[in-house]
Amino acid sequence: MSIDQTAAALLTETAWVTDEPDELFREPYIDVDEWRNAPVRHRYVHGGFHGTDTRFSFYYPESEAYGGRFFQHVTPVAQSENLAHESLDAFNKIAFSIDSGAYFVETNGGGPDAANPMSGIDPTIGAFRASAAAARFSRVVAGELYGAARPYGYLYGGSGGAYRTIGSAENTQGVWDGFVPYVPGSPMAMPNVFSVRMHAQRILRDVFPSIVDAYDVGGDPAALDLTAEQREALDEVTRMGFPPRSWFGWRTMGMHAFSVLYPGVMYMDPTFADDFWRVEGYLGADPASSVHRDRVQLTTTISELLAETATREEQLVAGGVDESFLHAASDLQVSGLRLAEAPTGWILGAQLAVLSGAATGAVLRLSGVDGDIALVEPGQGELLAALATGDTVALDNSSFLAAQTYHRHQVPGPEYAAWDQFRDADGALALPQRPMLLGPLMTQGASGTVPSGRITGKMIVVACLLDREAFPWQADWYRARVTGHLGDAVDDSFRLWYVDNALHGDDDPQEFPARSVAYVGALETALRQLAAWVEDGVEPSPTTAYEIVDGQVVVPEGAAERRGVQPVATLTVNGSSSASVRVGEPVSVRVEADATAGGVIVELVDVVTEIGGEERLGEPMVLAPAGSVVFEQQRTFDAPGTHFIAVRVSAQTGGDASDPHARVQNIVRARVTVTP
């Protein structure tokens, strides 16, 4: 069955939601209605729907600040309906909405069970029906506050929330007027973008510093000294879409969503792990593969039950999950077990089978192993309570290793060019394939719908060129689906903006501020331009110009040619992207920055790299706002070695330098090699 046939089959039972009341959500209630002053003055309305677990929060501006619209954010999974007022940072959604003439809407996504595909609850509730019910009722409340005119509505969400935003655009009519999905995946994203990344992380773990340097400014990827296996792994993950410039985060990247996806792979395809280690065509059946070196199978005993040590958030952040996309599980705790023996090998992602004692037969999911300490994933309290010192356990990473090449055996149709590397010269499949494609099934289970491109309103998609979790080509995949639906009229309803040097999470500050920027300014710009497009017919900024080459999205160098909304800049040292000087010798630094049409450069910030590698933002450089700016200075270095200069550029896309919102960032780097 092709991917399109799979999607069509999954969509046949999808509910179609209109602006008419949904029977399940006919009885709304309000339990809080009060004025609040932070982050800006607003009227807070909280409530839910009787007979459901759905809860909502509405944040209404004072009448003189209301412009007749609302912005509604949808999270990747069911989370709290109170996230916006719990986060009062520079990118606060309430402040931005009210400053944009909008009230803000958020929900709990239908409740915790709505996010669980095994709960038996109709997946369309979490996908779009709960959000739609809240949007409809918010209009009722707005009518009482501001008058009878129907407010325009705009839905946006990222990662898993992008699936839900797209599902809402394709399966509702009249609820929202426009949509901004950001950092979107495709129906083939799960588990494949994570499996190929984990495969590369295993094989390349000893050479990442060289890879990072080679793909940095002034580096030379062609000069990398890699073994044949390492070269093949790097080529494979790059062709699948992982941005090679993004490996700078390899130390903290961790497993991300793979820790929860790979058990699902084993559950849905129970014979895969056995086939992996036995059947020709799978990596595990190749005796020369390093996968055998890294396999861990250790039988030992529990020597100590450790106290709870970290919150769910702390554990997942340590494992590489963006804080902005964590599940709402802050009350869950992580437990540790000290083992009588410490395993050797590549032990990320192992599981622990209990062979004796009260919990005999149980299998514990581990988030990691540190020496002789096994860290246990939360949500397994009953199993942990049955464990005792002296119980015999078996530590095994066989299934985790097997799942890392699952993508090779999930080749979809020709619309997914990233998988062409697993076909021979005649286009035939080069490796054995599994009986079904899991990606669309996982997408359906996680978000209640499979993207088809049949949008019902205007849409601006925001994607990031350094995205490690939603490879950038996937946004182009969705653009092609929308084009197939709308044909030559696609530009009347759709835009795609790529943001360079931005990662997957919409959180800030950045872990590496000398290498990446936040993309929230692009989201804010998208929402404002979308509203102007819908309400006043003002065309938004054009789609970013790009091409896809071997799985990588490539954009032009100049701002005018690149289009989109991100400023484009260059940084040169002695007239080039890299320079060699002696200690104390002056270096001429020049920054040129151009905003896109209608925008102004408002800030240049020097990013300082301390001794030891720590990166921090310096003081903003003083400049007069303009569409194009040039900044020059002389620098010297008092120690030999390789030094990097980085400057962050910010542009206010509406041309108003006094507006703190809709400021899109970029960053530029240069290399200086200093000799004695």
Side-chain angles (χ1 to χ4, degrees):
M1 181 179 288
S2 72
I3 184 70
D4 287 335
Q5 290 172 323
T6 302
L10 290 171
L11 285 167
T12 54
E13 301 300 325
T14 297
W16 182 260
V17 173
T18 69
D19 206 22
E20 297 300 316
D22 188 322
E23 289 294 330
L24 184 63
F25 301 98
R26 279 194 173 275
E27 297 185 44
Y29 65 86
I30 293 174
D31 54 16
V32 179
D33 184 353
E34 62 188 23
W35 284 96
R36 295 180 175 181
N37 293 318
V40 294
R41 185 163 173 77
H42 65 277
R43 186 168 179 171
Y44 173 68
V45 176
H46 178 276
F49 297 90
H50 288 293
T52 77
D53 292 327
T54 299
R55 303 291 183 267
F56 56 74
S57 291
F58 305 150
Y59 307 82
Y60 294 99
E62 296 178 292
S63 295
E64 57 269 25
Y66 178 59
R69 67 187 64 92
F70 70 86
F71 296 148
Q72 181 173 354
H73 184 252
V74 58
T75 53
V77 296
Q79 293 183 259
S80 169
E81 72 279 13
N82 294 306
L83 295 178
H85 68 74
E86 293 175 356
S87 176
L88 301 180
D89 58 21
F91 296 129
N92 182 263
K93 297 178 178 66
I94 303 170
F96 163 71
S97 297
I98 290 177
D99 286 352
S100 303
Y103 64 86
F104 181 68
V105 175
E106 62 180 344
T107 78
N108 68 344
D113 288 338
N116 181 5
M118 307 302 292
S119 66
I121 293 178
D122 183 345
T124 63
I125 292 173
F128 47 82
R129 288 173 61 195
S131 295
R136 283 191 294 263
F137 186 58
S138 79
R139 286 193 173 102
V140 174
V141 178
E144 296 176 357
L145 297 179
Y146 308 120
R150 174 188 179 275
Y152 291 96
Y154 306 97
L155 186 72
Y156 70 112
S159 190
Y163 284 127
R164 294 175 176 218
T165 302
I166 288 170
S168 299
E170 295 178 352
N171 296 284
T172 69
Q173 181 72 51
V175 181
W176 298 281
D177 302 282
F179 307 87
V180 180
Y182 58 98
V183 293
S186 70
M188 287 300 295
M190 297 183 288
N192 303 299
V193 300
F194 299 102
S195 65
V196 71
R197 192 180 90 177
M198 291 307 306
H199 176 66
Q201 285 177 250
R202 179 181 69 82
I203 293 176
L204 301 174
R205 63 187 186 269
D206 295 329
V207 293
F208 274 130
S210 297
I211 293 172
V212 172
D213 185 72
Y215 281 97
D216 205 343
V217 60
D220 182 8
L224 277 169
D225 183 16
L226 304 177
T227 67
E229 183 184 43
Q230 290 168 343
R231 173 59 65 186
E232 290 170 1
L234 181 59
D235 288 348
E236 179 178 349
V237 72
T238 303
R239 288 173 182 154
M240 281 290 287
F242 186 97
R245 290 185 292 133
S246 201
W247 283 119
F248 59 79
W250 66 274
R251 282 190 174 90
T252 56
M253 202 174 295
M255 293 186 288
H256 202 270
F258 197 62
S259 63
V260 295
L261 289 174
Y262 97 85
V265 172
M266 297 299 104
Y267 175 81
M268 299 170 75
D269 192 351
T271 64
F272 174 72
D274 186 56
D275 289 346
F276 174 84
W277 295 104
R278 295 188 309 104
V279 177
E280 184 178 355
Y282 294 89
L283 186 64
D286 178 3
S289 171
S290 66
V291 73
H292 298 284
R293 174 201 65 199
D294 290 331
R295 190 179 188 183
V296 176
Q297 294 178 300
L298 172 67
T299 300
T300 184
T301 59
I302 298 174
S303 62
E304 184 181 359
L305 299 176
L306 300 178
E308 296 173 334
T309 56
T311 65
R312 169 73 163 173
E313 281 87 344
E314 289 169 345
Q315 183 192 30
L316 291 181
V317 170
V321 176
D322 297 311
E323 292 185 66
S324 57
F325 295 135
L326 290 173
H327 294 226
S330 59
D331 58 326
L332 296 175
Q333 299 292 307
V334 179
S335 296
L337 307 172
R338 188 179 300 278
L339 305 177
E341 299 176 66
T344 59
W346 198 69
I347 51 181
L348 188 66
Q351 60 187 20
L352 199 70
V354 183
L355 304 182
S356 72
T360 297
V363 178
L364 293 167
R365 303 186 310 277
L366 302 183
S367 62
V369 180
D370 183 7
D372 60 354
I373 297 175
L375 296 174
V376 181
E377 282 275 4
Q380 304 176 90
E382 291 185 11
L383 295 179
L384 289 171
L387 295 177
T389 300
D391 286 351
T392 301
V393 293
L395 187 70
D396 195 337
N397 68 349
S398 299
S399 294
F400 187 77
L401 291 173
Q404 291 172 20
T405 51
Y406 198 77
H407 56 279
R408 297 181 178 180
H409 312 284
Q410 289 280 283
V411 178
E415 69 273 24
Y416 288 93
W419 272 266
D420 287 349
Q421 60 185 301
F422 307 117
R423 301 178 186 273
D424 63 22
D426 297 324
L429 297 172
L431 299 170
Q433 297 297 299
R434 306 309 295 171
M436 60 182 175
L437 296 176
L438 297 192
L441 298 174
M442 287 185 166
T443 302
Q444 174 84 4
S447 59
T449 184
V450 176
S452 67
R454 297 191 288 271
I455 62 175
T456 59
K458 296 186 184 300
M459 178 180 288
I460 299 176
V461 176
V462 177
C464 298
L465 292 182
L466 294 188
D467 198 329
R468 308 158 180 161
E469 286 77 46
F471 295 164
W473 62 258
Q474 294 178 107
D476 171 75
W477 177 91
Y478 189 67
R479 182 190 182 196
R481 306 283 79 71
V482 175
T483 301
H485 171 57
L486 297 178
D488 293 340
V490 64
D491 288 340
D492 295 337
S493 300
F494 185 87
R495 294 289 190 276
L496 167 56
W497 297 341
Y498 278 111
V499 181
D500 197 11
N501 298 307
L503 302 168
H504 189 68
D506 59 1
D507 51 337
D508 209 48
Q510 302 294 296
E511 181 183 10
F512 300 97
R515 294 179 180 272
S516 65
V517 296
Y519 59 82
V520 176
L523 298 183
E524 294 176 342
T525 299
L527 287 165
R528 286 182 172 179
Q529 290 196 12
L530 181 64
W533 196 10
V534 169
E535 298 167 26
D536 303 316
V538 178
E539 291 280 331
S541 296
T543 289
T544 302
Y546 65 91
E547 60 178 335
I548 298 179
V549 181
D550 290 335
Q552 297 298 307
V553 177
V554 181
V555 296
E557 293 292 331
E561 298 80 15
R562 187 178 300 188
R563 305 196 296 267
V565 294
Q566 187 181 31
V568 174
T570 59
L571 190 161
T572 58
V573 284
N574 292 347
S576 179
S577 61
S578 61
S580 296
V581 297
R582 294 186 178 277
V583 170
E585 181 182 346
V587 178
S588 297
V589 179
R590 178 182 174 90
V591 179
E592 300 180 21
D594 298 305
T596 53
V600 291
I601 304 295
V602 294
E603 186 180 74
L604 301 180
V605 178
D606 190 19
V607 185
V608 179
T609 302
E610 303 282 8
I611 296 176
E614 181 183 354
E615 300 172 357
R616 62 175 178 83
L617 295 177
E619 294 299 319
M621 302 177 189
V622 179
L623 52 86
S628 298
V629 300
V630 176
F631 182 86
E632 295 181 299
Q633 65 177 194
Q634 295 282 312
R635 293 195 188 183
T636 59
F637 296 89
D638 57 7
T642 300
H643 300 261
F644 290 93
I645 299 172
V647 175
R648 191 183 72 182
V649 179
S650 299
Q652 208 290 326
T653 53
D656 182 0
S658 66
D659 188 346
H661 304 295
R663 293 185 169 211
V664 183
Q665 301 174 350
N666 205 342
I667 197 161
V668 284
R669 290 166 61 83
R671 180 191 300 247
V672 180
T673 302
V674 181
T675 58

